[in-house]
Amino acid sequence: MKKGGKLIVFSAPSGSGKTTIVRHLLKIEALNLEFSVSATSRAPRGEEAHGKDYYFLTLKDFKQKMKSEEFLEWEEVYRDNFYGTLYSEVERIWEMGKNVIFDIDVVGGLRIKKKYPERTLAVFIKPPSVEELKKRLKKRSTESDEKINMRIAKASVEMATAPQFDFIIENDHLEHALDEAEKLVSEHIAKPIFKDVTEEE
Ligand code: 5GP
C-alpha cells in the first residue's frame, strides 16, 4: 500500500457509543479525518446508505474480494455477516490527503495496529457495564432480540481484548469520553511517522 496519513482505530462492543465518538471527531476539521467505509455482507439497517455507512455487498461478492486479496482486514463478525476494510478505501482517503478513522470490531482493529504499528492509534471504548449495553441496544430497537443477544454474548469476549489497545476510554460520561478521544487523536496526528516495521512497501 502506498504511503499516506495516519490510521485511527476505534473499536468496542456494539452499543458502547463508539459511533457517536467517531461522528464527533469527524466534525473537527483540524483533525483532517475521513471515515473508512467498510464493506459488509449484512443487510442495510434503518436509514443506512450504500457508500456512506457501508458498501453493502452480497455474500458472494464479499467472498470474491476476499479471494482476490482486496481486503486490508476482514472478519466474520457474526455468523455469515462479514465485514472488512478494502485497501482501495484507505488509498482513496490517503489520496485526499486525509487521515483515516475506522469504526471496526476489536479483531480487525488490532490487525490494523499490528500491520501499521507506528501510524495507527488503536483506542478501545469501554461501555459502563453489560447491563447498560443491553439497555442501549434495546433502545436502538433496529434489531430482533435474537440479534441483540448475539451482540451481548460477543461483548464479554471483546472486553477481554481491551488491554491490547493503545488506550482505553471508559464511556460512562459521554462529554468526558469525547474530550479524551479528541485529545488522543490530536496528539497522535501531531506525531511524525518514522517507519512502520511490518509495513509492506
Ligand atoms: P454493525 O452491524 O453494528 O454495523 O457492526 C457490527 C460490528 O462490525 C461492529 O463492531 C463494527 O465495528 C464491526 N465492523 C464494521 N466494519 C468493520 C470492518 O471493516 N472490519 C471489521 N473487522 N469489523 C467491522
Side-chain angles (χ1 to χ4, degrees):
M1 197 151 64
K2 274 185 263 154
K3 295 273 186 287
K6 297 280 171 58
L7 304 175
I8 321 284
V9 170
F10 276 83
S11 294
S14 60
S16 39
K18 71 176 183 305
T19 305
T20 310
I21 295 175
V22 168
R23 286 204 186 125
H24 168 79
L25 294 172
L26 280 162
K27 283 193 231 137
I28 305 169
E29 267 178 44
L31 299 178
N32 196 26
L33 299 171
E34 185 75 14
F35 182 66
S36 166
V37 178
S38 296
T40 183
S41 66
R42 83 148 162 79
R45 257 191 335 235
E47 304 277 287
E48 287 178 336
H50 180 80
K52 180 173 161 274
D53 301 282
Y54 282 108
Y55 298 113
F56 293 102
L57 306 179
T58 61
L59 190 56
K60 186 163 168 262
D61 285 348
F62 197 103
K63 288 191 170 168
Q64 184 52 49
K65 289 192 189 297
M66 273 161 58
K67 225 162 118 192
S68 49
E69 298 187 354
E70 291 178 52
F71 287 106
L72 166 60
E73 62 78 36
W74 62 265
E75 209 50 49
E76 187 175 6
V77 178
Y78 306 105
R79 190 138 69 94
D80 273 344
N81 282 359
F82 287 82
Y83 296 81
T85 306
L86 292 159
Y87 281 108
S88 58
E89 181 64 5
V90 174
E91 278 170 1
R92 176 183 78 82
I93 295 171
W94 279 352
E95 262 158 33
M96 293 164 78
K98 293 190 147 197
N99 302 300
V100 190
I101 187 162
F102 301 87
D103 173 347
I104 68 178
D105 96 312
V106 295
V107 181
L110 291 171
R111 199 161 278 160
I112 292 176
K113 176 71 190 175
K114 200 165 169 201
K115 219 161 177 174
Y116 299 99
E118 203 180 329
R119 70 177 66 235
T120 305
L121 169 73
V123 182
F124 186 91
I125 307 294
K126 201 166 159 209
S129 66
V130 173
E131 272 313 302
E132 178 61 27
L133 203 68
K134 227 183 253 180
K135 247 200 279 173
R136 289 184 193 175
L137 288 173
K138 291 226 162 107
K139 209 164 125 198
R140 189 156 85 182
S141 73
T142 45
E143 289 176 302
S144 65
D145 277 358
E146 190 203 338
K147 287 219 167 128
I148 290 176
N149 288 337
M150 191 167 79
R151 284 174 190 271
I152 290 163
K154 196 165 180 277
S156 51
V157 178
E158 291 170 325
M159 298 277 247
T161 67
Q164 296 176 56
F165 283 75
D166 297 321
F167 294 96
I168 299 172
I169 295 180
E170 303 228 5
N171 190 11
D172 37 10
H173 293 106
L174 184 62
E175 283 306 315
H176 293 173
L178 295 178
D179 287 349
E180 211 180 331
E182 183 176 343
K183 184 168 161 276
L184 289 176
V185 173
S186 103
E187 281 169 5
H188 179 69
I189 282 170
K191 272 193 235 158
I193 304 172
F194 297 105
K195 184 160 171 62
D196 272 348
V197 281
T198 66
E199 193 170 321
E200 302 147 323
E201 290 300 324

